[in-house]
Short mmCIF file of all heavy atoms in Angstrom, two decimals:
data_model
loop_
_atom_site.label_atom_id
_atom_site.label_comp_id
_atom_site.label_asym_id
_atom_site.label_seq_id
_atom_site.Cartn_x
_atom_site.Cartn_y
_atom_site.Cartn_z
N LYS A 1 17.67 20.51 -1.03
CA LYS A 1 16.50 19.65 -0.91
C LYS A 1 16.87 18.18 -0.99
O LYS A 1 16.30 17.35 -0.31
CB LYS A 1 15.47 19.99 -1.99
CG LYS A 1 14.72 21.26 -1.75
CD LYS A 1 13.66 21.44 -2.82
CE LYS A 1 12.88 22.72 -2.60
NZ LYS A 1 11.83 22.89 -3.59
N THR A 2 17.86 17.87 -1.83
CA THR A 2 18.28 16.49 -1.98
C THR A 2 18.87 15.95 -0.69
O THR A 2 18.61 14.81 -0.31
CB THR A 2 19.33 16.38 -3.12
OG1 THR A 2 18.77 16.94 -4.30
CG2 THR A 2 19.71 14.95 -3.38
N LYS A 3 19.66 16.75 0.01
CA LYS A 3 20.25 16.32 1.28
C LYS A 3 19.17 16.07 2.32
O LYS A 3 19.22 15.11 3.08
CB LYS A 3 21.25 17.35 1.78
CG LYS A 3 22.53 17.38 1.01
CD LYS A 3 23.51 18.36 1.61
CE LYS A 3 24.80 18.38 0.80
NZ LYS A 3 25.77 19.31 1.38
N ARG A 4 18.18 16.95 2.38
CA ARG A 4 17.07 16.78 3.34
C ARG A 4 16.27 15.52 3.02
O ARG A 4 15.90 14.78 3.91
CB ARG A 4 16.15 18.00 3.32
CG ARG A 4 16.74 19.20 3.99
CD ARG A 4 15.74 20.32 4.03
NE ARG A 4 16.39 21.54 4.48
CZ ARG A 4 15.86 22.72 4.36
NH1 ARG A 4 14.68 22.86 3.78
NH2 ARG A 4 16.50 23.78 4.79
N LEU A 5 16.01 15.31 1.74
CA LEU A 5 15.26 14.13 1.32
C LEU A 5 16.04 12.87 1.65
O LEU A 5 15.48 11.89 2.15
CB LEU A 5 14.93 14.19 -0.17
CG LEU A 5 14.10 13.04 -0.73
CD1 LEU A 5 12.76 12.97 -0.01
CD2 LEU A 5 13.90 13.21 -2.22
N THR A 6 17.33 12.87 1.40
CA THR A 6 18.18 11.72 1.72
C THR A 6 18.18 11.45 3.22
O THR A 6 18.07 10.31 3.66
CB THR A 6 19.62 11.96 1.21
OG1 THR A 6 19.57 12.20 -0.20
CG2 THR A 6 20.50 10.77 1.48
N ALA A 7 18.32 12.50 4.01
CA ALA A 7 18.31 12.34 5.47
C ALA A 7 16.96 11.83 5.96
O ALA A 7 16.89 10.97 6.84
CB ALA A 7 18.65 13.66 6.14
N PHE A 8 15.88 12.33 5.36
CA PHE A 8 14.53 11.89 5.72
C PHE A 8 14.35 10.41 5.40
O PHE A 8 13.86 9.63 6.22
CB PHE A 8 13.49 12.73 4.99
CG PHE A 8 12.08 12.31 5.25
CD1 PHE A 8 11.47 12.57 6.47
CD2 PHE A 8 11.35 11.63 4.28
CE1 PHE A 8 10.17 12.18 6.71
CE2 PHE A 8 10.05 11.24 4.51
CZ PHE A 8 9.46 11.52 5.73
N CYS A 9 14.77 10.00 4.21
CA CYS A 9 14.65 8.59 3.79
C CYS A 9 15.50 7.69 4.68
O CYS A 9 15.08 6.59 5.05
CB CYS A 9 15.06 8.43 2.33
SG CYS A 9 13.88 9.16 1.18
N ALA A 10 16.69 8.15 5.02
CA ALA A 10 17.56 7.37 5.91
C ALA A 10 16.91 7.22 7.28
O ALA A 10 16.97 6.16 7.90
CB ALA A 10 18.92 8.04 6.03
N GLY A 11 16.27 8.28 7.77
CA GLY A 11 15.58 8.21 9.06
C GLY A 11 14.43 7.22 9.04
O GLY A 11 14.25 6.44 9.97
N ILE A 12 13.68 7.22 7.96
CA ILE A 12 12.57 6.27 7.83
C ILE A 12 13.10 4.84 7.78
O ILE A 12 12.56 3.94 8.41
CB ILE A 12 11.71 6.59 6.59
CG1 ILE A 12 10.92 7.88 6.85
CG2 ILE A 12 10.78 5.44 6.24
CD1 ILE A 12 10.11 8.35 5.67
N LEU A 13 14.16 4.62 7.04
CA LEU A 13 14.77 3.30 6.93
C LEU A 13 15.24 2.81 8.30
O LEU A 13 14.98 1.67 8.68
CB LEU A 13 15.93 3.34 5.94
CG LEU A 13 16.68 2.02 5.77
CD1 LEU A 13 15.76 0.96 5.17
CD2 LEU A 13 17.90 2.22 4.90
N LEU A 14 15.93 3.66 9.04
CA LEU A 14 16.41 3.28 10.38
C LEU A 14 15.25 2.98 11.33
O LEU A 14 15.30 2.03 12.10
CB LEU A 14 17.30 4.37 10.95
CG LEU A 14 18.69 4.49 10.31
CD1 LEU A 14 19.43 5.69 10.87
CD2 LEU A 14 19.48 3.22 10.51
N ALA A 15 14.20 3.78 11.28
CA ALA A 15 13.03 3.53 12.12
C ALA A 15 12.39 2.20 11.76
O ALA A 15 11.97 1.43 12.63
CB ALA A 15 12.02 4.67 11.98
N GLY A 16 12.31 1.91 10.47
CA GLY A 16 11.75 0.63 10.03
C GLY A 16 12.58 -0.54 10.48
O GLY A 16 12.05 -1.56 10.92
N LEU A 17 13.88 -0.42 10.38
CA LEU A 17 14.77 -1.50 10.84
C LEU A 17 14.66 -1.71 12.34
O LEU A 17 14.63 -2.85 12.82
CB LEU A 17 16.21 -1.19 10.45
CG LEU A 17 16.55 -1.29 8.97
CD1 LEU A 17 17.97 -0.81 8.71
CD2 LEU A 17 16.36 -2.71 8.46
N ALA A 18 14.59 -0.64 13.10
CA ALA A 18 14.44 -0.75 14.55
C ALA A 18 13.11 -1.41 14.91
O ALA A 18 13.05 -2.28 15.78
CB ALA A 18 14.55 0.62 15.20
N GLY A 19 12.06 -1.02 14.23
CA GLY A 19 10.74 -1.63 14.47
C GLY A 19 10.74 -3.10 14.11
O GLY A 19 10.18 -3.92 14.83
N SER A 20 11.39 -3.46 13.02
CA SER A 20 11.48 -4.86 12.61
C SER A 20 12.23 -5.68 13.64
O SER A 20 11.86 -6.81 13.93
CB SER A 20 12.18 -4.98 11.26
OG SER A 20 11.42 -4.35 10.26
N ALA A 21 13.29 -5.12 14.19
CA ALA A 21 14.07 -5.84 15.19
C ALA A 21 13.22 -6.13 16.43
O ALA A 21 13.31 -7.21 17.01
CB ALA A 21 15.30 -5.03 15.58
N LEU A 22 12.38 -5.19 16.82
CA LEU A 22 11.51 -5.41 17.98
C LEU A 22 10.49 -6.50 17.71
O LEU A 22 10.20 -7.34 18.56
CB LEU A 22 10.81 -4.11 18.36
CG LEU A 22 11.69 -3.03 18.96
CD1 LEU A 22 10.89 -1.74 19.15
CD2 LEU A 22 12.29 -3.48 20.26
N VAL A 23 9.92 -6.51 16.51
CA VAL A 23 8.91 -7.51 16.16
C VAL A 23 9.54 -8.89 16.05
O VAL A 23 8.93 -9.89 16.40
CB VAL A 23 8.20 -7.13 14.84
CG1 VAL A 23 7.36 -8.27 14.30
CG2 VAL A 23 7.36 -5.89 15.04
N MET A 24 10.75 -8.97 15.57
CA MET A 24 11.40 -10.25 15.32
C MET A 24 11.96 -10.90 16.58
O MET A 24 12.34 -12.06 16.55
CB MET A 24 12.53 -10.07 14.30
CG MET A 24 12.05 -9.60 12.95
SD MET A 24 10.92 -10.75 12.15
CE MET A 24 12.07 -12.02 11.68
N GLN A 25 12.00 -10.20 17.69
CA GLN A 25 12.52 -10.78 18.92
C GLN A 25 11.61 -11.89 19.42
O GLN A 25 10.39 -11.81 19.32
CB GLN A 25 12.65 -9.72 20.01
CG GLN A 25 13.76 -8.74 19.77
CD GLN A 25 13.83 -7.72 20.88
OE1 GLN A 25 12.90 -7.54 21.65
NE2 GLN A 25 14.95 -7.04 20.96
N LYS A 26 12.22 -12.91 19.99
CA LYS A 26 11.46 -13.99 20.58
C LYS A 26 10.89 -13.51 21.92
O LYS A 26 11.61 -12.93 22.73
CB LYS A 26 12.35 -15.21 20.81
CG LYS A 26 11.61 -16.41 21.33
CD LYS A 26 12.52 -17.61 21.42
CE LYS A 26 11.77 -18.80 21.94
NZ LYS A 26 12.61 -19.98 22.05
N PRO A 27 9.60 -13.74 22.16
CA PRO A 27 9.01 -13.33 23.43
C PRO A 27 9.66 -14.04 24.61
O PRO A 27 10.18 -15.15 24.47
CB PRO A 27 7.53 -13.74 23.29
CG PRO A 27 7.31 -13.87 21.83
CD PRO A 27 8.62 -14.30 21.24
N GLU A 28 9.62 -13.42 25.77
CA GLU A 28 10.20 -14.03 26.96
C GLU A 28 9.40 -15.24 27.41
O GLU A 28 9.96 -16.21 27.90
CB GLU A 28 10.26 -12.99 28.08
CG GLU A 28 11.25 -11.88 27.81
CD GLU A 28 11.26 -10.84 28.89
OE1 GLU A 28 10.83 -11.13 30.02
OE2 GLU A 28 11.71 -9.72 28.61
N ASP A 29 8.08 -15.20 27.28
CA ASP A 29 7.23 -16.31 27.67
C ASP A 29 7.29 -17.39 26.60
O ASP A 29 7.29 -17.10 25.41
CB ASP A 29 5.78 -15.81 27.83
CG ASP A 29 4.86 -16.86 28.43
OD1 ASP A 29 5.35 -17.90 28.89
OD2 ASP A 29 3.65 -16.62 28.45
N SER A 30 7.34 -18.64 27.01
CA SER A 30 7.44 -19.74 26.05
C SER A 30 6.10 -20.44 25.83
O SER A 30 6.06 -21.53 25.28
CB SER A 30 8.50 -20.74 26.52
OG SER A 30 8.14 -21.26 27.79
N THR A 31 5.01 -19.82 26.24
CA THR A 31 3.69 -20.40 26.03
C THR A 31 3.24 -20.11 24.61
O THR A 31 3.24 -18.98 24.16
CB THR A 31 2.66 -19.82 27.02
OG1 THR A 31 3.12 -20.09 28.35
CG2 THR A 31 1.30 -20.45 26.82
N VAL A 32 2.88 -21.19 23.91
CA VAL A 32 2.38 -21.05 22.54
C VAL A 32 0.95 -21.57 22.50
O VAL A 32 0.53 -22.37 23.33
CB VAL A 32 3.23 -21.83 21.52
CG1 VAL A 32 4.62 -21.26 21.42
CG2 VAL A 32 3.26 -23.30 21.83
N ARG A 33 0.23 -21.08 21.50
CA ARG A 33 -1.12 -21.60 21.30
C ARG A 33 -1.37 -21.78 19.82
O ARG A 33 -0.80 -21.09 18.98
CB ARG A 33 -2.17 -20.72 21.95
CG ARG A 33 -2.31 -19.34 21.40
CD ARG A 33 -3.32 -18.57 22.23
NE ARG A 33 -3.63 -17.30 21.60
CZ ARG A 33 -4.50 -16.45 22.09
NH1 ARG A 33 -5.13 -16.74 23.21
NH2 ARG A 33 -4.75 -15.33 21.47
N ILE A 34 -2.23 -22.74 19.53
CA ILE A 34 -2.63 -23.03 18.16
C ILE A 34 -4.09 -22.64 18.05
O ILE A 34 -4.93 -23.11 18.82
CB ILE A 34 -2.42 -24.52 17.84
CG1 ILE A 34 -0.94 -24.87 18.00
CG2 ILE A 34 -2.91 -24.83 16.43
CD1 ILE A 34 -0.63 -26.35 17.88
N VAL A 35 -4.37 -21.74 17.11
CA VAL A 35 -5.70 -21.16 16.97
C VAL A 35 -6.22 -21.43 15.56
O VAL A 35 -5.47 -21.34 14.59
CB VAL A 35 -5.64 -19.63 17.21
CG1 VAL A 35 -7.01 -19.00 17.09
CG2 VAL A 35 -5.02 -19.33 18.57
N GLN A 36 -7.51 -21.75 15.49
CA GLN A 36 -8.17 -21.93 14.19
C GLN A 36 -9.51 -21.23 14.24
O GLN A 36 -10.34 -21.52 15.11
CB GLN A 36 -8.36 -23.42 13.90
CG GLN A 36 -8.73 -23.73 12.48
CD GLN A 36 -8.65 -25.23 12.22
OE1 GLN A 36 -9.26 -26.02 12.95
NE2 GLN A 36 -7.89 -25.63 11.22
N ASP A 37 -9.71 -20.28 13.35
CA ASP A 37 -10.94 -19.47 13.31
C ASP A 37 -11.26 -18.83 14.66
O ASP A 37 -12.40 -18.80 15.10
CB ASP A 37 -12.11 -20.31 12.82
CG ASP A 37 -12.04 -20.61 11.34
OD1 ASP A 37 -11.41 -19.83 10.60
OD2 ASP A 37 -12.62 -21.61 10.90
N GLY A 38 -10.22 -18.35 15.34
CA GLY A 38 -10.41 -17.66 16.61
C GLY A 38 -10.59 -18.56 17.81
O GLY A 38 -10.73 -18.08 18.93
N VAL A 39 -10.57 -19.87 17.61
CA VAL A 39 -10.75 -20.83 18.71
C VAL A 39 -9.39 -21.43 19.05
O VAL A 39 -8.68 -21.93 18.18
CB VAL A 39 -11.73 -21.96 18.31
CG1 VAL A 39 -11.84 -23.00 19.41
CG2 VAL A 39 -13.09 -21.38 17.96
N VAL A 40 -9.02 -21.37 20.33
CA VAL A 40 -7.77 -21.97 20.77
C VAL A 40 -7.95 -23.48 20.81
O VAL A 40 -8.75 -24.00 21.60
CB VAL A 40 -7.33 -21.43 22.15
CG1 VAL A 40 -6.06 -22.13 22.61
CG2 VAL A 40 -7.14 -19.93 22.11
N LEU A 41 -7.21 -24.18 19.95
CA LEU A 41 -7.30 -25.64 19.89
C LEU A 41 -6.32 -26.32 20.83
O LEU A 41 -6.57 -27.43 21.30
CB LEU A 41 -7.03 -26.13 18.46
CG LEU A 41 -7.91 -25.56 17.36
CD1 LEU A 41 -7.45 -26.07 16.00
CD2 LEU A 41 -9.37 -25.94 17.59
N PHE A 42 -5.20 -25.65 21.09
CA PHE A 42 -4.15 -26.26 21.90
C PHE A 42 -3.27 -25.14 22.45
O PHE A 42 -3.01 -24.16 21.77
CB PHE A 42 -3.31 -27.20 21.03
CG PHE A 42 -2.19 -27.89 21.75
CD1 PHE A 42 -2.44 -29.03 22.49
CD2 PHE A 42 -0.90 -27.42 21.68
CE1 PHE A 42 -1.40 -29.68 23.16
CE2 PHE A 42 0.15 -28.05 22.33
CZ PHE A 42 -0.12 -29.20 23.07
N GLN A 43 -2.84 -25.31 23.69
CA GLN A 43 -1.93 -24.34 24.31
C GLN A 43 -0.98 -25.09 25.22
O GLN A 43 -1.40 -26.01 25.93
CB GLN A 43 -2.70 -23.29 25.10
CG GLN A 43 -1.81 -22.21 25.69
CD GLN A 43 -2.58 -21.01 26.18
OE1 GLN A 43 -3.51 -20.56 25.52
NE2 GLN A 43 -2.20 -20.47 27.33
N THR A 44 0.30 -24.72 25.19
CA THR A 44 1.28 -25.37 26.04
C THR A 44 2.47 -24.45 26.27
O THR A 44 2.71 -23.53 25.50
CB THR A 44 1.77 -26.70 25.42
OG1 THR A 44 2.56 -27.41 26.38
CG2 THR A 44 2.58 -26.49 24.16
N ASP A 45 3.19 -24.71 27.33
CA ASP A 45 4.46 -24.05 27.60
C ASP A 45 5.54 -24.92 26.97
O ASP A 45 5.73 -26.07 27.37
CB ASP A 45 4.68 -23.91 29.10
CG ASP A 45 5.94 -23.15 29.45
OD1 ASP A 45 6.87 -23.08 28.61
OD2 ASP A 45 6.01 -22.63 30.57
#
């Protein structure tokens, strides 16, 4: 059971790291916007 639990935890850790890497990537588009209370105040490339 310990080996299965260790493998399961390692799998979750790897999935989390892979997901984090995807989120941390810089988007291809360089358009940014500044939003306040859901209203776009400024947008530029």
Side-chain angles (χ1 to χ4, degrees):
K1 285 185 180 182
T2 305
K3 287 183 180 181
R4 286 184 189 165
L5 182 60
T6 302
F8 177 73
C9 290
I12 289 176
L13 179 64
L14 288 175
L17 289 174
S20 296
L22 290 174
V23 169
M24 297 298 287
Q25 289 180 343
K26 184 175 180 180
E28 292 178 21
D29 188 9
S30 60
T31 301
V32 295
R33 64 184 189 179
I34 300 173
V35 181
Q36 193 170 54
D37 287 335
V39 176
V40 177
L41 304 176
F42 180 82
Q43 184 167 318
T44 189
D45 183 338

